[in-house]
Amino acid sequence: MFNKIKHRNTKQRKVILEELKKTTLHPTAEMLFKMVKKRSPKISFGTVYRNLNLLKEQGQILELTCGKDSCRYDGDITPHYHFFCLTCKKVFDLNISVLDKEEKLYKDIYKKTGLAIKYHRLDFYGYCKECEIKMKEIKKSDK
Ligand code: ZN
Ligand code: MN
């Protein structure tokens, strides 16, 4: 019985991880729940949520900046930066080089402070292209 449950849990976790790795949307738990449900109709939101936390603790996925009530998740754990649209809440990868590939900055910080840096995060916030166009149109029509 125990093994059966364990097997089911492992299978569900695999599906969750696969669906998260497939998308570039950086979904919230709710968004991912809807995606996973298409493949595993019986899965519950609690299961998705629990497994996201577990996968995060195992270092298999990333939890990005959390908004008011939900966090965004990323199946791509290679170092990269994100852009967060303040209006439509879209999150996407920024194709820019990651600071400190040679770890010079970390060494400098260590020299100055004695702190051993293991990783860093850098998030960018603003308006995506679509939202900027819409905002400009609204401004124009206000005049
Ligand atoms: Zn936007
Ligand atoms: Mn990403």
PDB file of all heavy atoms in Angstrom, residues 30-45:
ATOM      1  N   GLU A  30      -1.369  28.008  -9.386  1.00  0.00           N
ATOM      2  CA  GLU A  30      -2.695  27.857 -10.007  1.00  0.00           C
ATOM      3  C   GLU A  30      -2.596  27.631 -11.511  1.00  0.00           C
ATOM      4  O   GLU A  30      -3.278  26.772 -12.063  1.00  0.00           O
ATOM      5  CB  GLU A  30      -3.578  29.085  -9.768  1.00  0.00           C
ATOM      6  CG  GLU A  30      -4.241  29.158  -8.418  1.00  0.00           C
ATOM      7  CD  GLU A  30      -3.477  30.066  -7.478  1.00  0.00           C
ATOM      8  OE1 GLU A  30      -2.252  29.884  -7.321  1.00  0.00           O
ATOM      9  OE2 GLU A  30      -4.097  30.969  -6.927  1.00  0.00           O
ATOM     10  N   MET A  31      -1.771  28.434 -12.169  1.00  0.00           N
ATOM     11  CA  MET A  31      -1.591  28.279 -13.617  1.00  0.00           C
ATOM     12  C   MET A  31      -1.065  26.882 -13.946  1.00  0.00           C
ATOM     13  O   MET A  31      -1.540  26.224 -14.870  1.00  0.00           O
ATOM     14  CB  MET A  31      -0.606  29.344 -14.151  1.00  0.00           C
ATOM     15  CG  MET A  31      -1.172  30.754 -14.241  1.00  0.00           C
ATOM     16  SD  MET A  31       0.171  31.999 -14.268  1.00  0.00           S
ATOM     17  CE  MET A  31       0.731  31.863 -15.955  1.00  0.00           C
ATOM     18  N   LEU A  32      -0.079  26.444 -13.168  1.00  0.00           N
ATOM     19  CA  LEU A  32       0.521  25.132 -13.410  1.00  0.00           C
ATOM     20  C   LEU A  32      -0.486  24.012 -13.124  1.00  0.00           C
ATOM     21  O   LEU A  32      -0.545  23.018 -13.851  1.00  0.00           O
ATOM     22  CB  LEU A  32       1.777  24.950 -12.547  1.00  0.00           C
ATOM     23  CG  LEU A  32       2.598  23.705 -12.871  1.00  0.00           C
ATOM     24  CD1 LEU A  32       3.191  23.788 -14.265  1.00  0.00           C
ATOM     25  CD2 LEU A  32       3.699  23.499 -11.850  1.00  0.00           C
ATOM     26  N   PHE A  33      -1.296  24.201 -12.102  1.00  0.00           N
ATOM     27  CA  PHE A  33      -2.344  23.236 -11.759  1.00  0.00           C
ATOM     28  C   PHE A  33      -3.252  22.990 -12.973  1.00  0.00           C
ATOM     29  O   PHE A  33      -3.553  21.846 -13.321  1.00  0.00           O
ATOM     30  CB  PHE A  33      -3.145  23.772 -10.567  1.00  0.00           C
ATOM     31  CG  PHE A  33      -4.370  22.978 -10.227  1.00  0.00           C
ATOM     32  CD1 PHE A  33      -4.289  21.621  -9.960  1.00  0.00           C
ATOM     33  CD2 PHE A  33      -5.616  23.598 -10.150  1.00  0.00           C
ATOM     34  CE1 PHE A  33      -5.426  20.885  -9.632  1.00  0.00           C
ATOM     35  CE2 PHE A  33      -6.751  22.881  -9.830  1.00  0.00           C
ATOM     36  CZ  PHE A  33      -6.663  21.519  -9.579  1.00  0.00           C
ATOM     37  N   LYS A  34      -3.651  24.067 -13.638  1.00  0.00           N
ATOM     38  CA  LYS A  34      -4.503  23.938 -14.832  1.00  0.00           C
ATOM     39  C   LYS A  34      -3.790  23.182 -15.956  1.00  0.00           C
ATOM     40  O   LYS A  34      -4.403  22.384 -16.664  1.00  0.00           O
ATOM     41  CB  LYS A  34      -4.941  25.318 -15.322  1.00  0.00           C
ATOM     42  CG  LYS A  34      -6.069  25.874 -14.487  1.00  0.00           C
ATOM     43  CD  LYS A  34      -6.493  27.266 -14.941  1.00  0.00           C
ATOM     44  CE  LYS A  34      -7.378  27.900 -13.882  1.00  0.00           C
ATOM     45  NZ  LYS A  34      -7.259  29.363 -13.872  1.00  0.00           N
ATOM     46  N   MET A  35      -2.509  23.439 -16.129  1.00  0.00           N
ATOM     47  CA  MET A  35      -1.738  22.749 -17.180  1.00  0.00           C
ATOM     48  C   MET A  35      -1.615  21.255 -16.864  1.00  0.00           C
ATOM     49  O   MET A  35      -1.783  20.416 -17.733  1.00  0.00           O
ATOM     50  CB  MET A  35      -0.322  23.341 -17.278  1.00  0.00           C
ATOM     51  CG  MET A  35      -0.267  24.794 -17.697  1.00  0.00           C
ATOM     52  SD  MET A  35       1.460  25.380 -17.616  1.00  0.00           S
ATOM     53  CE  MET A  35       1.188  27.135 -17.707  1.00  0.00           C
ATOM     54  N   VAL A  36      -1.298  20.967 -15.594  1.00  0.00           N
ATOM     55  CA  VAL A  36      -1.074  19.580 -15.183  1.00  0.00           C
ATOM     56  C   VAL A  36      -2.381  18.784 -15.237  1.00  0.00           C
ATOM     57  O   VAL A  36      -2.398  17.617 -15.605  1.00  0.00           O
ATOM     58  CB  VAL A  36      -0.459  19.533 -13.758  1.00  0.00           C
ATOM     59  CG1 VAL A  36      -0.436  18.116 -13.218  1.00  0.00           C
ATOM     60  CG2 VAL A  36       0.952  20.111 -13.782  1.00  0.00           C
ATOM     61  N   LYS A  37      -3.467  19.449 -14.916  1.00  0.00           N
ATOM     62  CA  LYS A  37      -4.791  18.809 -14.896  1.00  0.00           C
ATOM     63  C   LYS A  37      -5.176  18.220 -16.259  1.00  0.00           C
ATOM     64  O   LYS A  37      -5.888  17.222 -16.328  1.00  0.00           O
ATOM     65  CB  LYS A  37      -5.843  19.826 -14.453  1.00  0.00           C
ATOM     66  CG  LYS A  37      -6.642  19.324 -13.267  1.00  0.00           C
ATOM     67  CD  LYS A  37      -7.687  20.314 -12.869  1.00  0.00           C
ATOM     68  CE  LYS A  37      -8.915  19.613 -12.456  1.00  0.00           C
ATOM     69  NZ  LYS A  37      -9.304  18.992 -11.418  1.00  0.00           N
ATOM     70  N   LYS A  38      -4.700  18.839 -17.310  1.00  0.00           N
ATOM     71  CA  LYS A  38      -4.985  18.319 -18.652  1.00  0.00           C
ATOM     72  C   LYS A  38      -4.395  16.926 -18.842  1.00  0.00           C
ATOM     73  O   LYS A  38      -4.938  16.115 -19.569  1.00  0.00           O
ATOM     74  CB  LYS A  38      -4.425  19.279 -19.715  1.00  0.00           C
ATOM     75  CG  LYS A  38      -5.288  20.512 -19.881  1.00  0.00           C
ATOM     76  CD  LYS A  38      -4.731  21.437 -20.943  1.00  0.00           C
ATOM     77  CE  LYS A  38      -5.430  22.802 -20.848  1.00  0.00           C
ATOM     78  NZ  LYS A  38      -4.583  23.871 -21.370  1.00  0.00           N
ATOM     79  N   ARG A  39      -3.261  16.693 -18.203  1.00  0.00           N
ATOM     80  CA  ARG A  39      -2.595  15.390 -18.309  1.00  0.00           C
ATOM     81  C   ARG A  39      -3.012  14.437 -17.202  1.00  0.00           C
ATOM     82  O   ARG A  39      -3.114  13.236 -17.415  1.00  0.00           O
ATOM     83  CB  ARG A  39      -1.078  15.605 -18.240  1.00  0.00           C
ATOM     84  CG  ARG A  39      -0.397  15.448 -19.571  1.00  0.00           C
ATOM     85  CD  ARG A  39       1.074  15.732 -19.439  1.00  0.00           C
ATOM     86  NE  ARG A  39       1.832  14.584 -18.998  1.00  0.00           N
ATOM     87  CZ  ARG A  39       3.151  14.623 -18.767  1.00  0.00           C
ATOM     88  NH1 ARG A  39       3.823  15.763 -18.922  1.00  0.00           N
ATOM     89  NH2 ARG A  39       3.792  13.551 -18.397  1.00  0.00           N
ATOM     90  N   SER A  40      -3.176  14.974 -16.001  1.00  0.00           N
ATOM     91  CA  SER A  40      -3.594  14.169 -14.846  1.00  0.00           C
ATOM     92  C   SER A  40      -4.860  14.774 -14.262  1.00  0.00           C
ATOM     93  O   SER A  40      -4.798  15.535 -13.298  1.00  0.00           O
ATOM     94  CB  SER A  40      -2.499  14.152 -13.782  1.00  0.00           C
ATOM     95  OG  SER A  40      -1.313  13.630 -14.295  1.00  0.00           O
ATOM     96  N   PRO A  41      -6.027  14.425 -14.840  1.00  0.00           N
ATOM     97  CA  PRO A  41      -7.281  15.079 -14.437  1.00  0.00           C
ATOM     98  C   PRO A  41      -7.620  14.923 -12.961  1.00  0.00           C
ATOM     99  O   PRO A  41      -8.364  15.730 -12.413  1.00  0.00           O
ATOM    100  CB  PRO A  41      -8.338  14.388 -15.309  1.00  0.00           C
ATOM    101  CG  PRO A  41      -7.578  13.771 -16.444  1.00  0.00           C
ATOM    102  CD  PRO A  41      -6.233  13.428 -15.898  1.00  0.00           C
ATOM    103  N   LYS A  42      -7.070  13.884 -12.307  1.00  0.00           N
ATOM    104  CA  LYS A  42      -7.440  13.631 -10.910  1.00  0.00           C
ATOM    105  C   LYS A  42      -6.586  14.397  -9.914  1.00  0.00           C
ATOM    106  O   LYS A  42      -6.851  14.382  -8.723  1.00  0.00           O
ATOM    107  CB  LYS A  42      -7.342  12.125 -10.617  1.00  0.00           C
ATOM    108  CG  LYS A  42      -8.556  11.366 -11.119  1.00  0.00           C
ATOM    109  CD  LYS A  42      -8.428   9.909 -10.749  1.00  0.00           C
ATOM    110  CE  LYS A  42      -9.557   9.096 -11.392  1.00  0.00           C
ATOM    111  NZ  LYS A  42      -9.190   7.675 -11.439  1.00  0.00           N
ATOM    112  N   ILE A  43      -5.570  15.033 -10.381  1.00  0.00           N
ATOM    113  CA  ILE A  43      -4.629  15.704  -9.474  1.00  0.00           C
ATOM    114  C   ILE A  43      -5.304  16.881  -8.758  1.00  0.00           C
ATOM    115  O   ILE A  43      -6.177  17.542  -9.327  1.00  0.00           O
ATOM    116  CB  ILE A  43      -3.362  16.145 -10.255  1.00  0.00           C
ATOM    117  CG1 ILE A  43      -2.152  16.234  -9.326  1.00  0.00           C
ATOM    118  CG2 ILE A  43      -3.578  17.465 -10.991  1.00  0.00           C
ATOM    119  CD1 ILE A  43      -0.821  16.201 -10.058  1.00  0.00           C
ATOM    120  N   SER A  44      -4.935  17.102  -7.493  1.00  0.00           N
ATOM    121  CA  SER A  44      -5.527  18.212  -6.739  1.00  0.00           C
ATOM    122  C   SER A  44      -4.557  19.392  -6.689  1.00  0.00           C
ATOM    123  O   SER A  44      -3.350  19.222  -6.885  1.00  0.00           O
ATOM    124  CB  SER A  44      -5.854  17.763  -5.316  1.00  0.00           C
ATOM    125  OG  SER A  44      -4.665  17.579  -4.580  1.00  0.00           O
ATOM    126  N   PHE A  45      -5.120  20.544  -6.397  1.00  0.00           N
ATOM    127  CA  PHE A  45      -4.273  21.734  -6.286  1.00  0.00           C
ATOM    128  C   PHE A  45      -3.249  21.565  -5.160  1.00  0.00           C
ATOM    129  O   PHE A  45      -2.086  21.936  -5.299  1.00  0.00           O
ATOM    130  CB  PHE A  45      -5.119  22.981  -6.041  1.00  0.00           C
ATOM    131  CG  PHE A  45      -4.281  24.213  -5.833  1.00  0.00           C
ATOM    132  CD1 PHE A  45      -3.572  24.763  -6.880  1.00  0.00           C
ATOM    133  CD2 PHE A  45      -4.159  24.779  -4.567  1.00  0.00           C
ATOM    134  CE1 PHE A  45      -2.761  25.879  -6.692  1.00  0.00           C
ATOM    135  CE2 PHE A  45      -3.344  25.886  -4.372  1.00  0.00           C
ATOM    136  CZ  PHE A  45      -2.653  26.443  -5.432  1.00  0.00           C
TER     137      PHE A  45
END
